[in-house]
Amino acid sequence: MENASDKPFNSNSILSISEVGIVAEKPLELGEQLINNHGLFYFGKGPKREDFVVLGDDNGLVVISGTDRNWYPTGQPAKQRSLKMKLQVNTTFPEIEVEG
């Protein structure tokens, strides 16, 4: 990847984020909402369970975990937080907001 820059690093320097984690009371239900409302899709290589679901592809993942899990590899308890993100789904760029 040719992305060298002489400019100071700032938020515009970020090219992409490969994984975003969301904590929800009902991960599978939130996953279904994101699929139905924004065109996301289940990750073909990932789990699809009531307490943990992964959306996206090898270039970008939305990991949705239940509240009773610990984040790997830190072991810290998962906590709900608000999140606003703009994704690329095929040729669309939905803005998604999740309340924590």
Side-chain angles (χ1 to χ4, degrees):
M1 180 182 297
E2 294 188 33
N3 60 354
S5 175
D6 294 331
K7 298 177 183 176
F9 182 82
N10 63 37
S11 62
N12 292 325
S13 304
I14 299 172
L15 301 176
S16 68
I17 296 175
S18 60
E19 184 176 306
V20 172
I22 300 173
V23 177
E25 291 288 331
K26 298 179 180 179
L28 190 55
E29 188 175 299
L30 177 59
E32 289 289 333
Q33 287 177 331
L34 295 175
I35 288 168
N36 294 330
N37 297 339
H38 303 289
L40 276 74
F41 45 88
Y42 290 111
F43 181 51
K45 301 175 191 174
K48 178 183 165 188
R49 303 190 315 248
E50 290 289 328
D51 66 336
F52 190 83
V53 65
V54 182
L55 308 177
D57 60 24
D58 289 325
N59 295 310
L61 300 174
V62 177
V63 177
I64 308 171
S65 171
T67 56
D68 296 331
R69 295 179 55 93
N70 291 335
W71 283 118
Y72 177 81
T74 65
Q76 294 181 346
K79 295 181 182 178
Q80 288 182 291
R81 304 274 192 235
S82 296
L83 174 69
K84 185 175 183 180
M85 58 186 163
K86 184 175 184 179
L87 305 175
Q88 179 178 354
V89 181
N90 299 317
T91 59
T92 64
F93 296 86
E95 288 193 23
I96 300 170
E97 194 162 348
V98 178
E99 295 297 323

